[in-house]
């Protein structure tokens, strides 16, 4: 194939992030820890530049590297979500690392490499590109989970994530090899053309591939790493995990199902429905007894992945649109919630127990109000944004005739509302504890923007709904 620089245009955001990461490693190596502030600022600037490029690159559908990399409306939508999530998580982390005396330039570089992997993953149009993006993301995340290397919990979180992640990568590769063996191609378009009937070998390959992807989005029964890693990793790392990789994982899950296997929808639909129901059920019931707020958010994220997969189960344009709207709203709710968790500091130490929020409405009424709004939204209570997120996925399931799935989803929402409302009750009705330390400016900004988005989404949902519809249609 003759090389043409112009053919690299669709991958320009990824190239900029990777080149930036290499340059910043050199800066860090030369100037040491003195460069940390510059590296952090440069990483956030690079993410912003990448987001602008993703939006402004011309054309409805661009491909690169022999059609193995695609930039369409679907990938643009998710890339913007990933970049917003990564930038916001990094923006909020600076103050935490300074207070914990853990500020190192490597963190920003690792986050940049992980984000580049996520962008490659979202644009993957064949199994090899999918694996490259997945591993670039995962290898960076393993190190980030164990970033506080002198802390036993952080080291344990990194090790658990690495061991289980390696196992899931093996399962995904085995599935990919089976699919290649039975179709003779690795490209999604080629697999779609070859996978017309329900061949047993192909279904096995699909099951293993979906198992690997389910691990990355922490869907049950591949969720076992999530509570331990969320609780053990430093809070800024948990924030990053909960925001950007979740969106990238759901994006590739949807693309693989819709792009590569449109001819065997009933077969993969059964797998997705099972993952969805079990994730919603476990997320609803397992979080009830939690006392650590990061662990509670881990089970909450497992439940929300289940709700997102309700939309994919429908296998329709409306279903995919529901998934996209859901992930956009989930990102805002998650960033806002973790802003509140990052602000939980007393006597120079970060606290994570839910009981520490006791009487927050008395000591910090505005923070308590915004936190309560975010929790009500996570529970799906109208007229907050979380209600519309669930409304779109459940409506798509009903339109596709999946009535039982929609009913189970609504019942799981009702059960899940209990543990969110319990936190609100602790903040508003329990005896107040000493006030938390003042919030850092970046944390205030993210909390304020997330709160405004969640509370006022109902007033003007059109831009996100329209963008999600265009992105969903580009897949079909």
């Amino acid at each position: 194939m003759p090389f043409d620089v112009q053919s690299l245009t669709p991958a320009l955001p990824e190239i900029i992030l990777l080149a930036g990461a290499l340059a910043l490693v050199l800066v860090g190596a030369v100037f040491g820890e003195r460069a940390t502030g510059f590296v952090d600022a440069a990483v956030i600037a690079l993410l912003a530049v990448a987001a602008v490029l993703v939006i402004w690159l011309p054309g409805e559908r661009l491909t690169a590297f022999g059609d193995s990399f695609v930039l369409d409306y679907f990938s643009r939508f998710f890339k913007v979500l990933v970049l917003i999530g990564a930038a916001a998580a990094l923006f909020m982390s600076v103050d935490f690392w300074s207070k914990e005396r853990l500020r190192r330039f490597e963190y920003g570089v690792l986050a940049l490499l992980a984000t580049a992997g996520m962008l490659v993953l979202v644009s993957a149009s064949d199994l090899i590109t999918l694996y490259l993006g997945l591993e670039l993301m995962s290898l960076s995340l393993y190190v980030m989970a164990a970033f506080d290397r002198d802390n036993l919990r952080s080291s344990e979180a990194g090790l658990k994530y690495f061991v289980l992640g390696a196992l899931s990568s093996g399962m995904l590769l085995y599935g990919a090899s089976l699919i290649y063996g039975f179709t003779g191609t690795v490209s999604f378009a080629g697999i779609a053309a070859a996978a017309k009937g329900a061949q047993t070998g192909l279904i096995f390959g699909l099951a293993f591939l979906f198992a690997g992807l389910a691990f990355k989005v922490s869907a049950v029964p591949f969720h076992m790493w999530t509570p331990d890693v969320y609780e053990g990793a430093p809070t800024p790392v948990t924030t990053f995990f909960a925001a950007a990789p979740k969106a990238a994982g759901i994006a590739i899950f949807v693309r693989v199902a819709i792009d590569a296997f449109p001819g065997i929808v009933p077969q993969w639909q059964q797998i997705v429905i099972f993952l969805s129901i079990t994730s919603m059920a476990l997320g609803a019931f397992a979080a009830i007894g939690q006392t650590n707020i990061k662990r509670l958010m881990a089970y909450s994220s497992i439940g929300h992945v289940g709700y997102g997969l309700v939309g994919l189960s429908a296998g329709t344009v409306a279903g995919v649109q529901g998934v996209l709207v859901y992930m956009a709203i989930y990102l805002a709710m998650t960033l806002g919630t973790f802003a509140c968790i990052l602000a939980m500091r007393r006597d120079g130490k970060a606290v994570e127990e839910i009981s520490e929020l006791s009487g927050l409405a008395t000591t910090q009424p505005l923070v308590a109000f915004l936190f309560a709004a975010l929790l009500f939204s996570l529970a799906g209570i109208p007229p907050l944004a979380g209600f519309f997120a669930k409304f779109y996925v459940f409506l798509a399931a009903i339109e596709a005739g999946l009535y039982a799935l929609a009913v189970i989803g609504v019942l799981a929402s009702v059960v899940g509302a209990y543990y969110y409302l319990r936190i609100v009750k602790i903040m508003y009705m329990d005896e107040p504890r000493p006030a938390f330390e003042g919030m850092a400016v970046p944390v205030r900004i993210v909390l304020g923007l997330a709160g405004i988005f969640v509370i006022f989404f109902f007033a003007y949902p059109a831009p996100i709904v329209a963008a999600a519809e265009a992105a969903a249609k580009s897949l079909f």
Side-chain angles (χ1 to χ4, degrees):
M1 286 171 64
F3 179 72
D4 176 16
V5 174
Q6 211 165 359
S7 67
L8 298 177
T9 307
L12 206 53
E14 289 82 356
I15 292 167
I16 284 173
L17 292 189
L18 292 169
L22 294 174
L24 291 174
V25 166
L26 285 175
V27 170
V30 173
F31 294 101
E33 299 311 316
R34 289 172 296 156
T36 305
F38 170 77
V39 169
D40 288 344
V43 167
I44 293 169
L46 283 166
L47 293 172
V49 169
V52 170
L53 278 171
V54 167
I55 294 165
W56 287 107
L57 278 175
E60 287 188 10
R61 182 182 168 88
L62 304 170
T63 59
F65 310 113
D67 290 347
S68 65
F69 184 97
V70 62
L71 183 68
D72 52 11
Y73 286 138
F74 178 82
S75 54
R76 285 173 203 257
F77 186 95
F78 270 110
K79 282 185 180 187
V80 171
L81 288 191
V82 165
L83 291 163
I84 289 171
L90 285 167
F91 186 50
M92 290 194 290
S93 71
V94 175
D95 181 69
F96 181 95
W97 294 130
S98 299
K99 286 178 176 170
E100 297 288 326
R101 295 191 180 147
L102 280 168
R103 214 164 164 213
R104 301 191 190 110
F105 77 89
E106 292 96 332
Y107 182 74
V109 176
L110 284 166
L112 202 56
L113 289 168
T115 309
M118 291 175 222
L119 299 192
V120 172
L121 186 63
V122 170
S123 278
S125 190
D126 72 11
L127 296 171
I128 295 171
T129 313
L130 182 157
Y131 189 69
L132 282 173
L134 195 74
E135 285 307 294
L136 178 56
M137 172 183 89
S138 299
L139 291 171
S140 306
L141 294 180
Y142 299 150
V143 185
M144 287 170 76
F147 195 72
D148 185 2
R149 59 184 177 223
D150 298 326
N151 183 323
L152 191 64
R153 283 169 62 201
S154 180
S155 302
E156 184 189 352
L159 186 62
K160 278 181 178 170
Y161 190 30
F162 170 66
V163 171
L164 292 167
L167 176 69
S168 82
S169 292
M171 290 168 75
L172 186 137
L173 270 181
Y174 180 57
S177 66
L178 281 174
I179 291 166
Y180 173 64
F182 281 94
T183 60
T185 178
V186 291
S187 85
F188 292 169
I191 293 167
K196 295 295 184 192
Q199 301 160 273
T200 308
L202 188 66
I203 304 302
F204 264 98
L206 176 69
F208 277 104
L209 186 71
F210 274 22
L213 295 176
F215 177 90
K216 296 303 174 191
V217 298
S218 56
V220 177
F222 306 99
H223 66 287
M224 66 295 281
W225 61 274
T226 316
D228 291 336
V229 173
Y230 270 49
E231 185 182 356
T235 308
V237 178
T238 308
T239 308
F240 189 85
F241 273 41
K246 206 64 104 187
I250 289 287
I252 194 62
F253 213 129
V254 173
R255 188 183 286 283
V256 167
I258 302 296
D259 255 11
F261 299 100
I264 53 169
V265 173
Q267 282 72 28
W268 64 251
Q269 197 176 40
Q270 293 172 39
I271 300 171
V272 176
I273 288 171
F274 171 76
L275 293 172
S276 175
I277 290 172
T278 51
S279 299
M280 288 188 295
L282 185 107
F285 288 100
I288 290 173
Q290 302 305 323
T291 56
N292 182 294
I293 192 151
K294 281 160 67 179
R295 201 172 181 86
L296 182 139
M297 285 306 295
Y299 286 110
S300 168
S301 80
I302 292 167
H304 283 285
V305 164
Y307 297 121
L309 292 176
V310 169
L312 177 58
S313 301
T316 60
V317 174
V320 174
Q321 181 190 358
V323 177
L324 274 78
V325 172
Y326 199 97
M327 292 315 296
I329 293 170
Y330 173 72
L331 180 75
M333 296 188 297
T334 300
L335 289 171
T337 305
F338 275 98
C340 295
I341 296 169
L342 280 163
M344 290 170 65
R345 296 186 71 86
R346 196 177 280 132
D347 303 325
K349 287 183 183 169
V351 291
E352 296 173 6
E353 294 301 304
I354 294 169
S355 57
E356 299 287 349
L357 290 162
S358 186
L360 186 67
T362 307
T363 54
Q364 288 172 289
L366 183 58
V367 175
F369 171 74
L370 290 174
F371 197 9
L374 289 159
L375 291 167
F376 279 130
S377 183
L378 283 164
I381 292 170
L384 300 169
F387 167 75
F388 293 95
K390 288 180 179 171
F391 173 78
Y392 278 105
V393 290
F394 291 157
L395 186 66
I398 290 166
E399 285 174 356
L402 303 172
Y403 303 112
L405 181 62
V407 169
I408 292 168
V410 172
L411 293 174
S413 292
V414 173
V415 175
Y418 167 76
Y419 57 81
Y420 297 120
L421 297 178
R422 184 167 67 93
I423 301 174
V424 176
K425 174 255 173 193
I426 288 168
M427 290 194 297
Y428 277 87
M429 296 180 186
D430 287 13
E431 280 297 310
R433 294 203 172 190
F436 292 131
E437 292 171 14
M439 288 176 97
V441 174
V443 179
R444 275 187 204 171
I445 291 169
V446 173
L447 175 58
L449 291 174
I452 290 166
F453 176 86
V454 161
I455 294 166
F456 294 106
F457 178 81
F458 74 93
Y460 192 49
I464 285 178
V465 174
E469 186 179 12
K473 283 179 177 170
S474 73
L475 264 192
F476 287 85

